[in-house]
Every structure is written in structure tokens, then in C-alpha cells.
Amino acid sequence: MEINVVPGNLAEQQADCIVVNLFEGVTVPGGATGAVDRALDGAIRSLIASGDFTGKLGSTTLLYSDGKLPSPRVLVAGLGELAKFDLQSARKAAASAYRALAKLKGVKSFATIVHGAGLAGLEPESCGAVLAEGTLLAAYQPPNYKREAPEAGPATMTVVEFDPQKLPRFNVGVRRGEAIAHGVITARDLSNEPPNVLFPAEMAARAKVLAARSGLNFTVLNEADMAALNMNILLAVSRGSVHEAQLIILEHAPGTAANEPPLVLVGKGITFDTGGISIKPSDRMEEMKHDMSGAAAVIGAMNALARLKVDRRVIGVAAAVENMPDGNAFRPGDILVGMTGKSTEILSTDAEGRLILADALAYVARFQPKAVVDLATLTGAIGVALGQQAAGLFSNNEELETALLAASKRSGERLWPMPMWEEYVEAIKGDMAEVKNSGGRTGGVSTSAKFIEHFTEGYPWAHLDIANVAWATAERDALTPRGATGFGVRLLVALAENY
Ligand code: BES
Ligand code: MN
Ligand code: ZN
């Protein structure tokens, strides 16, 4: 989609539709909405007076201008209560407006004001960014495997602003929002791709193309490279698959920060999780194609950071592996020794995410990181605990935890702190080996985090369990379509910018 930012009056715009907005409880609209209302002889006031439109956040109503304005249609977008309005509300309003327009056959272009920069008084650059983010995320369509292309929504958005002081800041914000949204879309596309298309080497190939486009350094380790590094735990998970595992490494090292200790992001990239020999039930197993959503978020975020030219050194590592049962597969009962030398007993080959992270997290110590954050669709249990409202945040470092919670607030991607008490370790003490890869049902989210912690020596570390938020079994709202959500990209960008 093309987004233009232009000076002028919204009411005078020539487009298939113009978008105005309204807070709940307003009876006489002001600003650009007021000007449009007057041009329509009070049609918006009548709409409010009728009680048919209350301005509820995410609601929209369409009016026809019957020649009173250059644009034939006016969409009124509800912003909700002024007192509750924040950047996430602005994202939702933009997304809902786009979805309403996409349903109209005749709308290929639209003009809009920036939600939230008027009455709500939010900072203009951020308002521009969330307008672009919300719109582009609502316009998202997954990879298409049908012979006929899906119907496309409006392809041009014109952002109109009267105040010449605000205009350049809106423009900067819109370009920021575009970069972030493209990162989210990249992550969604990777996670939505079928598992026969997106196997580890294909993930690496796509990451390479994306890296070249956005100016990231790209390196990849194959199985021989990883064997030379003793990454035997990760390699064991890969043994049942015909596809070779790949460790994908992306680096953003801008001139001024090229040598600083990096922020390192590590993603679980299981391109398909059958459970291995501890095979999963077949009901909804197809969803396990998105078990690489942590890796997808890391790849998406790295691309966004590069496009945004964030003044920080950041390294992204995606551990891409397929977990399959096979005559060569690893088994429950196996004892593995990976890069750290710690012996690990396998109780379940379905607890494979923590295994590939064990070696990937040991590997990243070589970067002497300032901090490491891993993202993984790790446990079904995190959804039992939190529903789909927040990802689980596990950390043994207060400063990093605080920074992540602040990034969560700014990005609108919710995190909730979960316990990491030492007592949880008891459940994962091995019988014949130092640790075992499952602590059983009780406390499953925390014991999985404690398992990973064993392999994170030498740097501050946090783990995000995103198994409950990376995938939506049905459309959640205008911002969150069915399928991959791209969760984590916006959060990681916000973290990198402020940590
Ligand atoms: N990939 C799954 C977790 C998952 C479940 C992700 C649902 C997304 C949606 C993970 O590898 C897994 O199988 N975890 C097991 C752990 C258990 C064997 C200790 C689980 O949660 O049941
Ligand atoms: Mn599994
Ligand atoms: Zn898994």
C-alpha cells in the first residue's frame, strides 16, 4: 500500500472515501470532523443525535456526501472514550477503518486525518506511526495458494494535515510505522507458510534475501558447522528430519555502534513440530507449522531495526529445525551433551524447543551480549495460564525485565511476568544426567524456563513464551487476523530502541 502525507483540508480531498473520527460523548464535532460535518449540513451531528453511532472504539459508519464534498463517501471512525484513549486505541481505530473500507467495492483510495493527535493530544510522530501500523496490519493478506487472487482492499492512503508544524512529524512517524509493519508482515508470512514450503533451508534463504534488502549482515551455519561446535542437542532434534537444520544469524551493526556489546535476540524456529517420537495427537497438528514464530519475530524485527537505522548493535539468531519421528530420530531416554558440556536427559522429544534453545543460547555467549532475549512458542501451558492476552515473561535480571515491560507498554504487545523461583529446578534434575527436558505438568511454564536458564551463562537473559499469542485460531480484532499474528516484532523494536 502507498501512503502519502500531504498538507491541506481533509474535506477538500479527492478520494473514494475520507475518514473522520469521533470520541464517545461528543455531540458537536470539532476540527476536521467538524468541517466535514458542516459541509454535510450536520449529517454527523444527526448521526450522533439519533443514537445510532456512539463513537465506540473500533466502530464505523458510512455516510454519502451527495456532491457536498469532492469525495463521495465519508467514513466516521469511533475512537472510544477520550480519557481511555492511547496509542493502542489509535492503532485499533485505524485498523477498523481500513477493514470497513476494504468491504466496499468502490473504494480503492482514501484520505484520513491522524487519529489521536488532536483532542487526545498524543505525540504527533507516534500517532503517525500507529496510523500506518494499524492500517498496514489490517490490510495484511496471507500467502495465497489459490489460483485466483483474493480481492484487494484500498491501495492508497493519503494522510492529510492542516497544521504545517505537525506535518513533517506525521511523515516521520508514518515512515516509522511502515518499517515496523513490514517487519510484522514478514513474520506473519514466514509463520503462515506451509511446512513443506518453509523448511529450515528455505527460512535461511528468505532471511538472506530480506537481509540484503534491508542492509543486515547475514551468516548461516549448517549441520556440519554446528557439529564442529558440539551443538549436539540442537542437532539431535533435527535427526528425524530430511531437512538440514540451520542457524541463521543476522547482524545490525551501524557505524557508530559497530563494536558495542550487542543486544541479542534468539528465536525458536521449529518449522514443523510433530512432537517427534513423543508424537502429538493429530487434532490441529497442522497449526504446528507456526512453531517457528519466535524465529519469525526475530527475523521481522531485525529487518525493521535495519530499516529504522536504530543506533544500536543488535544480533538476531534463528534456530531453524524440523522435529520429525523417523528411524534416525532422537528418543525419550537419550542423554545428550551439547555445547556447554551439560548432560541432558530426554523425557519427551516434544519438549524440543528448549533443546534447540539450549545450544543456540550457548552459542550466542560468543558475542559477549549486553543482554539476550529469546522468543519461543514453548508450552501449551502458557495459554492455560494467560489465555491469549499476554505472552509470558521470564527473567533473572531485573533491569532487562523492566526494559521489556516498558517496551511492552509502548508497543501494545502485552507481557506478563512469570516466576523463576529456584525451587522449580528440583523438577528438572536428571536421574542419570544433570538436567532433564521436562518437569511434568505442574509448573510446566516455569520449569521450561528454568531448563533454558541452565544454558544462559555470562549475560543478562529473558525468555518470552509466545505459544499463546503467536497464532489466532480465529480473527481476534481488525489488527489480528486468523493465523500468524507476528507477535514480538513491535515489542523487540521498542526494546532495541530504548534499552
Ligand atoms: N510447540 C509446542 C508448544 C505449543 C503448543 C506451541 C501449542 C503452540 C501451541 C512445544 O514444543 C511442546 O510440544 N510443548 C509441550 C511440552 C511438554 C512435552 C513438556 C507442551 O506444551 O505440551
Ligand atoms: Mn513440541
Ligand atoms: Zn514445539
Side-chain angles (χ1 to χ4, degrees):
M1 182 161 47
E2 190 190 317
I3 307 180
N4 306 305
V5 182
V6 304
N9 287 317
L10 181 70
E12 289 161 15
Q13 294 301 308
Q14 188 101 50
D16 296 329
C17 189
I18 57 174
V19 180
V20 296
N21 61 34
L22 198 67
F23 281 106
E24 250 173 90
V26 171
T27 48
V28 182
T33 307
V36 169
D37 177 52
R38 288 189 295 278
L40 295 178
D41 303 324
I44 298 177
R45 269 170 288 169
S46 307
L47 182 65
I48 302 167
S50 72
D52 295 346
F53 187 78
T54 60
K56 188 169 170 277
L57 180 62
S59 65
T60 57
T61 288
L62 188 67
L63 299 171
Y64 291 87
S65 57
D66 293 328
K68 291 171 191 159
L69 290 168
S71 163
R73 300 175 193 79
V74 175
L75 188 80
V76 190
L79 299 184
E81 282 174 51
L82 178 58
K84 288 189 186 155
F85 192 84
D86 60 11
L87 291 174
Q88 184 65 2
S89 323
R91 272 189 202 96
K92 283 190 179 155
S96 305
Y98 186 86
R99 295 299 289 270
L101 295 175
K103 290 192 183 107
L104 305 173
K105 278 248 175 325
V107 178
K108 294 296 161 213
S109 68
F110 67 102
T112 183
I113 45 173
V114 177
H115 313 300
L119 266 189
L122 300 178
E123 196 268 306
E125 191 178 316
S126 304
C127 289
V130 296
L131 173 65
E133 272 178 38
T135 305
L136 290 166
L137 294 182
Y140 176 75
Q141 292 189 328
N144 179 44
Y145 285 89
K146 295 179 183 168
R147 281 167 295 177
E148 202 173 315
E151 235 169 279
T156 313
M157 172 165 84
T158 303
V159 180
V160 189
E161 174 54 42
F162 179 71
D163 179 353
Q165 304 273 296
K166 281 186 184 164
L167 192 78
R169 300 185 63 192
F170 282 161
N171 195 45
V172 171
V174 162
R175 301 308 154 207
R176 233 186 95 68
E178 276 183 324
I180 293 170
H182 281 134
V184 179
I185 288 165
T186 297
R188 284 182 181 176
D189 276 347
L190 290 169
S191 288
N192 279 327
E193 284 289 13
N196 60 326
V197 171
L198 198 104
F199 44 86
E202 175 66 12
M203 196 197 295
R206 293 196 185 195
K208 188 176 182 180
V209 171
L210 290 162
R213 269 192 220 145
S214 58
L216 293 161
N217 300 325
F218 170 90
T219 321
V220 64
L221 305 188
N222 63 18
E223 292 194 347
D225 301 327
M226 289 189 265
L229 290 165
N230 274 322
M231 298 178 75
N232 305 313
I233 307 181
L234 184 153
L235 291 170
V237 176
S238 182
R239 274 210 323 253
S241 171
V242 295
H243 295 295
E244 205 182 340
Q246 310 277 309
L247 195 74
I248 302 160
I249 302 150
L250 302 171
E251 187 188 19
H252 170 67
T256 46
N259 296 311
E260 71 180 21
L263 170 66
V264 178
L265 313 172
V266 179
K268 169 179 173 181
I270 296 290
T271 59
F272 194 69
D273 183 13
T274 61
I277 297 300
S278 314
I279 198 161
K280 287 181 179 296
S282 50
D283 187 41
R284 286 184 33 196
M285 200 203 271
E286 73 282 359
E287 284 182 9
M288 283 302 111
K289 70 176 184 179
H290 92 279
D291 208 17
M292 31 57 72
S293 292
V298 168
I299 294 170
M302 290 304 297
N303 280 283
L305 290 170
R307 283 178 180 233
L308 290 168
K309 302 195 163 48
V310 171
D311 194 21
R312 287 283 154 75
R313 183 166 172 232
V314 186
I315 294 176
V317 175
V321 183
E322 187 182 47
N323 187 21
M324 297 288 276
D326 168 88
N328 201 31
F330 77 133
R331 323 157 188 79
D334 283 1
I335 293 182
L336 307 168
V337 179
M339 203 170 174
T340 64
K342 251 174 219 168
S343 57
T344 302
E345 191 171 339
I346 305 307
L347 291 199
S348 169
T349 62
D350 197 13
E352 84 298 337
R354 64 200 75 180
L355 296 174
I356 66 167
L357 287 175
D359 275 334
L361 287 165
Y363 175 82
V364 300
R366 69 183 45 216
F367 300 125
Q368 295 174 295
K370 185 170 170 194
V372 178
V373 179
D374 79 67
L375 286 88
T377 46
L378 207 71
T379 68
I382 194 67
V384 177
L386 297 174
Q388 300 192 316
Q389 303 312 316
L393 162 61
F394 302 82
S395 184
N396 51 20
N397 185 282
E398 227 168 274
E399 200 186 329
L400 181 56
E401 179 167 328
T402 306
L404 275 160
L405 289 172
S408 163
K409 200 142 205 196
R410 269 194 307 281
S411 63
E413 294 197 305
R414 280 205 188 120
L415 296 179
W416 195 256
M418 302 294 287
M420 286 276 290
W421 297 307
E422 213 38 48
E423 284 81 354
Y424 286 117
V425 169
E426 206 51 46
I428 51 166
K429 281 200 173 134
D431 298 320
M432 292 183 62
E434 276 140 280
V435 278
K436 55 187 184 191
N437 80 331
S438 170
R441 268 175 62 82
T442 51
V445 289
S446 289
T447 54
S448 69
K450 289 308 267 186
F451 177 89
I452 298 171
E453 188 184 28
H454 278 99
F455 303 90
T456 60
E457 239 155 81
Y459 49 74
W461 158 80
H463 156 62
L464 309 181
D465 192 337
I466 61 169
N468 56 338
V469 290
W471 187 263
T473 45
E475 176 178 307
R476 226 172 278 163
D477 53 43
L479 275 172
T480 321
R482 183 187 178 280
T485 61
F487 183 98
V489 172
R490 291 181 280 156
L491 175 85
L492 293 175
V493 170
L495 177 72
E497 286 182 329
N498 291 283
Y499 186 58

